[in-house]
Amino acid sequence: MSLRLLRVARQRLRALVQRNAVDDELARELSFHIEQLKQEFVEGGMPEREAELAARRAIGNIPLIEEQSRDTRAVGWLHDLHQDLIYGARMLRRNPGFTIVALASLALGIGANTAILSVLDVVARDQLPIPRDDRVVVVRTYPLDDPAQETHARIADYFAWRDETRTFALMGAAMGHNADFGAEAGTPAERVSGQSITTESLATLGVQPLLGRLFTEDDEAVSESAPTRVILLSHRLWQRRFFGRSDVVGQQVRLDRVNRTVIGVMPDTFRYPSEQTNYWIPLRMDRSQFRNPQRFFVVTARLKDGVTVDQAQSEVDAIAARLARVNPEMNEGWGVRVKPVREAMFGWTRARLYTLEAAIILVLLVACANVAGLLLARGLVRGPEIALRSALGAGRGRLVRQLLTESILLSAGGGVLGLAVAWAGINTLMAMNPPPGGVAIGDVALSLRTLGATAAMAIVTGLLYGIAPALVHARPSLTTLREPSGGSAGRHPRLRSALVAAQIAVTMVLLIGAGLLMKSFLRVTSRDLRFDAARLLTFEVRVPPGDYMRRRGTIAGLPYFEISPPPAIAFERMHRGLKAIPGVESVAGVSTQLLNSLVVPSATITLDARALDSNEEGVSASFAIGVGANASHLDERRTLTAAYFLVTPDFFTAIRSPALRAAISPIATLTAASGWRSSTRAQPVGSGQTRIRLDRRSRS
Amino acid sequence: MPKPSDLLQGTLDLLILKSLVREPLHGWAIAKRIQLLSDEVLSVQQGSLYPALHRLENQGWISAEWKSSEHGRDAKVYELTRDGRRQLTRELESWNRLSSAVGLLLQRA
């Protein structure tokens, strides 16, 4: 059998590369045959000339025989393909208008898809520098009545999971940490974010430092006031702030005015839990805070070999149920979720990218419908050509093949241009990355895999939009030879209508999607801020907490601090310095950042009758500024709960708030209501004048 | 237009293979042999012989070689391959099955 296949292969190869020789052989065979026939006829008594003609008659249509014999070689399609490609290229060149429109739609469709696929490819396989990352899970809690709102763990949860489970080999915790790096030679002071993290957490992730060493339990046991405190630097911070010097290990850095020794630098690929993590310091899990209700511990764990995520899940479920029974006030209504670390880190980004990809596939479909419509319309022009080809003996299959080759040639061109679009698109996506707070995507580039996807896309789209017009056009009628205008498209109104309908439908879906996106975008940007954000800069001033906060003990599991406010003179000096900067028009201070604060202090205020009568609306308007969620509420007792900001007198001038200017006088008439146990007077910084008086109920 | 080879598609292959059983032949001789064997009842459209020969060659049932003929001219001589012989046996079997079945059918009808 294999011998035969070998012979077949040799035969086909010969037909392919020695095409002329094979044709020539057939001609020689045929002429020999004719010669023999003629001789036979002559011997039978026919005159020579007549015998020649009779022999030719007997043998039949020689070009047809040649064609049939070529078909038996089974490599004809390759030759045809070559011919069709050349012909297709010529047709495209001759119709530049059509070609440019078609290429542009295809390039956009294919390019956008390639760009998103490239990003998805990286997100799906992004190199987590975690050995066997499929064994690493993140354990989070969520309120049972709102399961989408995942949050992290309480300290008590962490200890319960760590001590009572059998499915985890290792479990560790981490929490966000922000600190000021003190100025050193050549680098200014700056505020950076990092993590405090347990030794077990680093072991769970299984990552090794690039330089130096990881924490040990000794580092963890060191109290926060001891001189032997340590820090691990991220690769990025090391490069940026320490210029990649390898002697950084062992150096002292000042973090929140406290010295720490750099014990190691992590590899570039270790960006846990996010791109914005610049350093890691030891985290000590303290059982004394057992009643701390805050859920801010990021718990990671490594599953034991052979244990599935589902098994771990059912184990923590059982613990959650037990905790809810034992200590309902803390634990009732909370569920626990075990998620693979990859999903926990990238799931959010991926979901968004899939949505985007779905939309962009629709764009490609519209491009296809568009080109199919163009091809159908062009059939009017090409009708006579196709009728002629058909009259010359081209079968329907052969015509379809030719037309499809042209389509695929077109979409291949679209694919090549699409790569340029994709390249630009990826650069744009990368420029937007990382979004603040989001998980950053690693470096995205056009890879061989995505190039393959692009090629596949080009072929599939070519077939997709080419098949219907090809089938229609390859059914030529000879009348088109006479009347080029009564073309095939006229005979297929239904196909054209279907195409147009599909195109409109998909475009509508896209339009609605785009409209919704635009609406939420506009809602953010055009929200009436009641102040003039143009040329308004904001920044935060923090004071080192160590200098102004004294820990006094614990109340209900929460640390309790005594705060001594920084002296007004410090702010006054800053105010003068800022005002002296050329180009600065006005400078003002506010206690809580505008628009950007989730937690704003609020106070209950009782209005006196006069204020209510004169300008009730003004009052609510003034308090609504930047508050959003904490909408003012005026009840029948003439009190309202409103968020408040402590501001300096020139604040309203600085933010140019027209609403506030109108509202200022009623606010000034607010008076303290009786019955409050204490009252705090808001003391505007930098001036002795009091504009707003707020009364706050003190809580015991 | 009904093609004359529609009827003969399989049959012509069978006849060519059969005519090559005894010795290698060139195209002209194969045509003569088929004519002779069929007592001139079956007349092959002579030209259609060649595409059939090339098809069989491409399928590896027969092999070809240029040899000088008895008249001193070079002719392409076809020969059954071993696989061709096996193929012939298979085709003969199925032909016999078909023809006896059709014969039986016609007798009973």
Side-chain angles (χ1 to χ4, degrees):
Chain A
M1 200 62 183
S2 61
L3 192 69
R4 179 185 151 235
L5 288 181
L6 208 67
R7 189 176 288 137
V8 169
R10 201 185 55 204
Q11 203 71 26
R12 302 226 163 139
L13 190 68
R14 184 156 172 264
L16 198 60
V17 296
Q18 296 183 298
R19 190 181 154 73
N20 291 335
V22 175
D23 280 348
D24 196 42
E25 273 183 19
L26 178 69
R28 275 162 72 197
E29 271 187 287
L30 285 174
S31 84
F32 178 72
H33 195 112
I34 291 167
E35 200 66 32
Q36 296 290 331
L37 262 180
K38 184 180 145 193
Q39 209 174 325
E40 206 176 67
F41 288 142
V42 170
E43 279 164 16
M46 229 182 246
E48 183 143 344
R49 179 170 293 249
E50 231 172 277
E52 167 98 33
L53 287 175
R56 287 197 180 276
R57 257 199 308 278
I59 200 141
N61 184 346
I62 289 179
L64 188 65
I65 293 167
E66 283 173 347
E67 193 60 41
Q68 282 173 351
S69 141
R70 250 178 239 136
D71 283 347
T72 68
R73 291 178 212 153
V75 289
W77 62 272
L78 255 176
H79 177 71
D80 291 348
L81 180 68
H82 180 70
Q83 235 175 8
D84 288 351
L85 281 177
I86 290 176
Y87 186 77
R90 204 184 299 151
M91 288 306 290
L92 293 180
R93 209 171 44 224
R94 215 183 291 158
N95 298 280
F98 163 80
T99 309
I100 288 170
V101 172
L103 279 182
S105 352
L106 289 171
L108 282 178
I110 295 177
N113 272 285
T114 305
I116 298 300
L117 281 179
S118 307
V119 178
L120 264 179
D121 188 44
V122 171
V123 172
R125 304 177 306 122
D126 199 9
Q127 301 290 316
L128 282 178
I130 301 173
R132 302 192 53 210
D133 65 58
D134 56 314
R135 308 302 302 157
V136 177
V137 293
V138 176
V139 191
R140 292 174 177 163
T141 63
Y142 62 93
L144 291 173
D145 50 6
D146 190 1
Q149 286 299 317
E150 276 184 9
T151 179
H152 292 292
R154 291 190 310 124
I155 208 160
D157 294 328
Y158 169 72
F159 280 114
W161 298 336
R162 201 190 64 174
D163 298 343
E164 296 175 30
T165 53
R166 295 159 184 281
T167 47
F168 300 114
L170 263 173
M171 182 179 276
M175 63 183 280
H177 189 270
N178 294 304
D180 294 318
F181 261 74
E184 287 146 55
T187 48
E190 63 176 322
R191 186 161 185 87
V192 291
S193 58
Q195 289 277 309
S196 48
I197 190 165
T198 62
T199 324
E200 292 98 333
S201 225
L202 288 175
T204 299
L205 298 169
V207 65
Q208 290 305 313
L210 183 70
L211 291 176
R213 62 173 178 88
L214 297 177
F215 307 136
T216 60
E217 280 174 20
D218 292 343
D219 295 325
E220 232 168 63
V222 164
S223 94
E224 273 298 293
S225 55
T228 52
R229 278 164 298 187
V230 294
I231 185 169
L232 275 169
L233 301 180
S234 77
H235 191 270
R236 210 172 54 158
L237 188 72
W238 176 53
Q239 290 292 332
R240 184 165 59 78
R241 213 180 150 82
F242 302 95
F243 311 107
R245 290 198 318 262
S246 57
D247 62 353
V248 72
V249 175
Q251 261 187 32
Q252 297 272 316
V253 294
R254 274 179 83 70
L255 207 67
D256 281 345
R257 294 202 177 176
V258 166
N259 281 333
R260 284 176 184 270
T261 308
V262 176
I263 57 163
V265 176
M266 299 307 280
D268 187 23
T269 46
F270 186 69
R271 300 168 185 185
Y272 183 86
S274 81
E275 196 88 2
Q276 282 82 32
T277 310
N278 286 295
Y279 63 87
W280 296 267
I281 58 171
L283 169 66
R284 193 161 153 214
M285 299 301 277
D286 191 349
R287 277 178 198 266
S288 68
Q289 292 188 36
F290 223 71
R291 295 189 58 80
N292 188 338
Q294 272 165 305
R295 301 174 180 269
F296 44 46
F297 290 100
V298 182
V299 175
T300 46
R302 190 172 278 272
L303 297 172
K304 281 184 185 159
D305 283 339
V307 171
T308 64
V309 172
D310 288 342
Q311 284 168 326
Q313 177 69 55
S314 54
E315 200 175 28
V316 292
D317 282 346
I319 293 172
R322 190 187 62 79
L323 286 179
R325 265 198 321 277
V326 173
N327 194 352
E329 79 191 88
M330 284 285 205
N331 300 302
E332 195 143 54
W334 286 87
V336 184
R337 195 172 291 149
V338 180
K339 251 189 195 171
V341 66
R342 179 178 291 277
E343 204 187 316
M345 284 180 77
F346 297 123
W348 187 86
T349 315
R350 200 159 32 184
R352 244 134 251 253
L353 283 172
Y354 281 136
T355 314
L356 195 56
E357 175 60 22
I360 285 174
I361 284 176
L362 290 185
V363 173
L364 187 58
L365 285 180
V366 171
C368 278
N370 201 7
V371 178
L374 285 173
L375 280 175
L376 267 185
R378 220 159 62 98
L380 292 173
V381 184
R382 295 194 68 176
E385 171 210 332
I386 286 167
L388 187 64
R389 280 171 171 272
S390 160
L392 288 178
R396 181 147 189 247
R398 183 73 189 77
L399 284 172
V400 168
R401 207 160 53 171
Q402 184 207 327
L403 293 170
L404 275 185
T405 309
E406 278 184 47
S407 305
I408 292 175
L409 183 69
L410 191 61
S411 60
V416 171
L417 289 179
L419 284 181
V421 174
W423 185 77
I426 288 173
N427 284 349
T428 313
L429 278 174
M430 288 299 97
M432 298 190 308
N433 183 58
V439 172
I441 301 157
D443 296 329
V444 176
L446 287 171
S447 65
L448 269 183
R449 288 157 56 93
T450 44
L451 285 184
T454 309
M457 229 173 333
I459 291 170
V460 170
T461 49
L463 289 175
L464 201 62
Y465 66 70
I467 193 82
L471 286 177
V472 167
H473 293 152
R475 202 185 305 130
S477 77
L478 290 179
T479 55
T480 50
L481 264 179
R482 274 191 296 110
E483 319 168 60
S485 53
S488 42
R491 284 185 285 124
H492 297 277
R494 210 176 296 162
L495 178 60
R496 300 234 318 158
S497 317
L499 266 176
V500 170
Q503 203 170 348
I504 290 176
V506 175
T507 310
M508 280 311 286
V509 170
L510 281 175
L511 262 180
I512 291 169
L516 287 174
L517 270 179
M518 199 65 110
K519 199 174 155 200
S520 21
F521 177 71
L522 285 177
R523 205 180 291 151
V524 173
T525 52
S526 71
R527 180 172 146 188
D528 185 7
L529 298 172
R530 295 180 197 249
F531 64 82
D532 181 7
R535 294 190 290 133
L536 185 67
L537 304 181
T538 63
F539 61 91
E540 281 181 282
V541 180
R542 287 173 219 240
V543 292
D547 291 7
Y548 299 98
M549 289 169 74
R550 293 271 174 285
R551 187 164 169 175
R552 283 286 175 234
T554 321
I555 300 174
L558 281 171
Y560 160 61
F561 295 95
E562 187 185 84
I563 301 173
S564 49
I569 184 86
F571 287 103
E572 207 156 342
R573 211 182 294 140
M574 199 187 305
H575 189 263
R576 268 204 307 273
L578 286 170
K579 204 138 192 200
I581 297 172
V584 172
E585 205 174 270
S586 50
V587 179
V590 56
S591 58
T592 316
Q593 223 182 43
L594 295 176
L595 293 178
N596 206 14
S597 305
L598 292 175
V599 184
V600 178
S602 62
T604 306
I605 301 157
T606 304
L607 300 171
D608 71 8
R610 218 158 18 103
L612 208 62
D613 294 342
S614 64
N615 200 342
E616 181 184 327
E617 206 183 330
V619 174
S620 350
S622 67
F623 282 109
I625 179 173
V627 174
N630 303 21
S632 328
H633 174 68
L634 193 63
D635 65 19
E636 65 279 2
R637 286 183 299 141
R638 290 181 185 173
T639 62
L640 55 82
T641 304
Y644 68 89
F645 299 91
L646 304 183
V647 299
T648 56
D650 38 7
F651 177 71
F652 301 113
T653 324
I655 68 167
R656 293 189 176 160
S657 173
L660 275 163
R661 228 171 284 133
I664 265 172
S665 50
I667 292 174
T669 63
L670 294 177
T671 53
S674 57
W676 304 126
R677 288 196 209 145
S678 75
S679 79
T680 314
R681 234 173 94 141
Q683 181 70 48
V685 179
S687 149
Q689 195 185 3
T690 304
R691 269 198 188 274
I692 305 175
R693 229 179 113 111
L694 292 169
D695 296 301
R696 184 166 55 177
R697 178 164 42 179
S698 71
R699 293 180 183 181
S700 51
Chain B
M1 183 181 76
K3 291 185 216 154
S5 60
D6 276 355
L7 178 71
L8 285 171
Q9 184 67 57
T11 331
L12 184 56
D13 287 2
L14 181 61
L15 290 176
I16 291 171
L17 292 177
K18 183 75 186 162
S19 64
L20 287 174
V21 165
R22 257 190 276 163
E23 53 184 333
L25 295 170
H26 50 68
W28 165 251
I30 294 170
K32 295 296 320 172
R33 172 71 56 89
I34 291 173
Q35 233 172 341
L36 195 76
L37 288 176
S38 66
D39 293 333
E40 319 246 343
V41 174
L42 274 176
S43 158
V44 180
Q45 169 90 51
Q46 309 227 357
S48 66
L49 185 66
Y50 289 92
L53 279 171
H54 288 208
R55 184 175 56 247
L56 291 173
E57 190 188 356
N58 271 312
Q59 284 168 340
W61 307 137
I62 59 178
S63 64
E65 208 180 339
W66 284 88
K67 283 180 183 159
S68 54
S69 73
E70 58 269 32
H71 307 289
R73 278 189 65 167
D74 276 357
K76 198 177 177 189
V77 175
Y78 295 91
E79 188 178 1
L80 262 187
T81 62
R82 194 188 298 185
D83 291 306
R85 274 179 207 284
R86 252 179 256 143
Q87 176 69 9
L88 176 60
T89 322
R90 274 197 296 274
E91 289 207 359
L92 274 176
E93 270 169 21
S94 68
W95 173 258
N96 286 335
R97 253 203 315 278
L98 180 70
S99 60
S100 60
V102 172
L104 204 66
L105 195 88
L106 291 177
Q107 268 176 8
R108 288 183 183 172

